[in-house]
Amino acid sequence: MRRARILGTGSCLPQRVVTNAELATRLTTSDEWIQQRTGVKERRYVDDGIGPSDLALTATNRALDAAGLKASDIDFIILATQTAEHEFPGTACFLQKKLGNSGVGALDVRDQCTGFLYGLSIAEAFVQLGKYKRVLVVGTEVHSTGLDFSDRSRHITVLFGDGAGAVIVGESESADRGILSTHLHADGKFAEELWVPAPGSIYPGRITHKLLDEGMHYPFMNGKAVFVEAVTQMINVSKEALSANGLTPADVTHFVPHQANLRINESVAQRLGIPSERCDSSITRYGNCAAASVPIAFDERVRSGAVKEGDIVLMATFAAGFTWGAAVMRW
């Protein structure tokens, strides 16, 4: 069976930098309070009129350039987002239109912060089976237009940022280089511990004045439940992925976890025995970019020259649902 690998990476961060000090002018909070609880120092917000497909387009073009390919070389599009551009159609179709890939399949993945790894797993399978030669996988988010800038949600609002990351997945020329395995999990009993209840087709009219007044269209999070499960499951799935490939944490050159909370990532890395210098902490600069967090962080590492041929890369995510996953690759 063919082995799939990442042919090129790209990312896109909005130019507008929003510091903790700026948020403190809108919420009862402070730079110290935010950093102590989340590790976030700043994040990026889009300008008015910019949607997730716009960020995805820039990230995709950069990934194509890195791979030496054109948009017409993409056989299939997979787009992961929890901040859909519209109720329907899927955001992948808006990206396809902007790329000019008429007729190419376009799939939306709705697994929140784990969406990129779910998409990567699908792309890997397509390439392994020979169904498609080059698959675009992109995670893209615009959170800033849907946050509650009131004190009832300050613990959530300070976390999120906007951004996109993309990879082109294709066949590896080497049997031992590329994506070694992907591992995906979910537990729906936690679905209401981290969610946005409305709008939704379960409600007549999908949205009501009552739902709006109650703030049900804003994110809700049980922080304690999320923290405990995130640490537990990211450790478990990381061990699962490494064990499946005869590897240990000592073999990991780059650990790229989802950027939800710096304290979560520090705890996971410490308990796995991965040194902090091998663990990405881009959350300090970009906040939680959900499905875009891992591809943004990985693109930065690749472009900086830190990722070298033969390096072992471990990616791990945790998300609403709850969903979680991991991927191991040899660069």
Side-chain angles (χ1 to χ4, degrees):
M1 184 176 290
R2 301 168 181 84
R3 183 175 297 285
R5 76 176 182 93
I6 292 176
L7 306 177
T9 67
S11 59
C12 176
L13 281 305
Q15 291 186 347
R16 183 186 170 195
V17 177
V18 179
T19 64
N20 291 342
E22 179 178 338
L23 289 185
T25 67
R26 305 179 67 178
L27 303 164
T28 304
T29 189
S30 67
D31 177 59
E32 180 183 15
W33 188 92
I34 296 171
Q35 286 202 53
Q36 187 179 60
R37 287 161 177 78
T38 71
V40 180
K41 297 179 181 179
E42 58 188 39
R43 72 288 291 149
R44 304 294 183 92
Y45 285 180
V46 297
D47 293 327
D48 290 347
I50 300 297
S53 68
D54 297 308
L55 299 180
L57 177 64
T58 299
T60 297
N61 284 333
R62 289 173 178 167
L64 287 168
D65 287 344
L69 299 171
K70 305 183 297 295
S72 58
D73 294 320
I74 296 173
D75 300 315
F76 197 83
I77 297 168
I78 302 173
L79 185 147
T81 187
Q82 68 179 19
T83 55
E85 198 150 310
H86 298 283
E87 183 71 14
F88 67 86
T91 306
C93 288
F94 291 99
L95 173 60
Q96 186 223 48
K97 173 186 175 182
K98 291 171 182 177
L99 285 170
N101 289 58
S102 180
V104 170
L107 171 69
D108 269 44
V109 175
R110 292 293 305 277
D111 286 282
Q112 289 48 258
C113 308
T114 308
F116 174 75
L117 288 190
Y118 269 72
L120 186 68
S121 180
I122 296 168
E124 177 195 23
F126 279 156
V127 172
Q128 285 179 331
L129 295 171
K131 186 171 182 63
Y132 298 112
K133 290 185 177 181
R134 300 180 189 92
V135 181
L136 166 66
V137 184
V138 55
T140 183
E141 306 288 358
V142 173
H143 287 114
S144 58
T145 56
L147 297 174
D148 181 6
F149 290 93
S150 72
D151 285 351
R152 67 182 172 186
S153 297
R154 63 174 181 163
H155 63 298
I156 300 174
T157 297
V158 299
L159 284 169
F160 288 103
D162 304 337
V167 300
I168 311 297
V169 178
E171 187 175 349
S172 175
E173 71 283 358
S174 172
D176 63 353
R177 183 183 178 193
I179 301 169
L180 303 182
S181 65
T182 54
H183 305 260
L184 308 174
H185 299 278
D187 191 343
K189 73 183 180 185
F190 294 102
E192 295 180 5
E193 302 295 350
L194 178 57
W195 68 323
V196 178
S201 57
I202 195 170
Y203 308 112
R206 303 205 173 184
I207 192 70
T208 65
H209 288 294
K210 183 176 184 294
L211 290 169
L212 291 171
D213 291 342
E214 293 174 350
M216 300 293 278
H217 57 304
Y218 292 128
F220 166 83
M221 177 175 68
N222 178 342
K224 183 177 181 180
V226 170
F227 191 99
V228 171
E229 285 297 312
V231 171
T232 300
Q233 302 302 352
M234 286 175 70
I235 290 172
N236 289 343
V237 77
S238 294
K239 289 180 177 179
E240 174 190 342
L242 291 171
S243 177
N245 295 285
L247 300 170
T248 70
D251 297 310
V252 175
T253 321
H254 304 275
F255 180 38
V256 187
H258 169 53
Q259 304 296 306
N261 185 301
L262 183 61
R263 310 306 166 216
I264 290 175
N265 292 348
E266 289 176 337
S267 181
V268 171
Q270 182 180 29
R271 290 168 65 177
L272 285 172
I274 298 176
S276 58
E277 62 269 19
R278 298 184 187 179
C279 179
D280 189 86
S281 57
S282 53
I283 187 172
T284 60
R285 290 172 285 124
Y286 305 134
N288 182 348
C289 293
S293 285
V294 165
I296 288 171
F298 187 58
D299 177 54
E300 286 198 331
R301 290 202 160 217
V302 170
R303 288 176 182 272
S304 71
V307 183
K308 304 183 185 304
E309 186 171 344
D311 282 358
I312 297 297
V313 179
L314 170 64
M315 299 174 174
T317 59
F318 183 85
F322 288 156
T323 65
W324 60 95
V328 180
M329 65 184 72
R330 180 177 286 108
W331 192 247

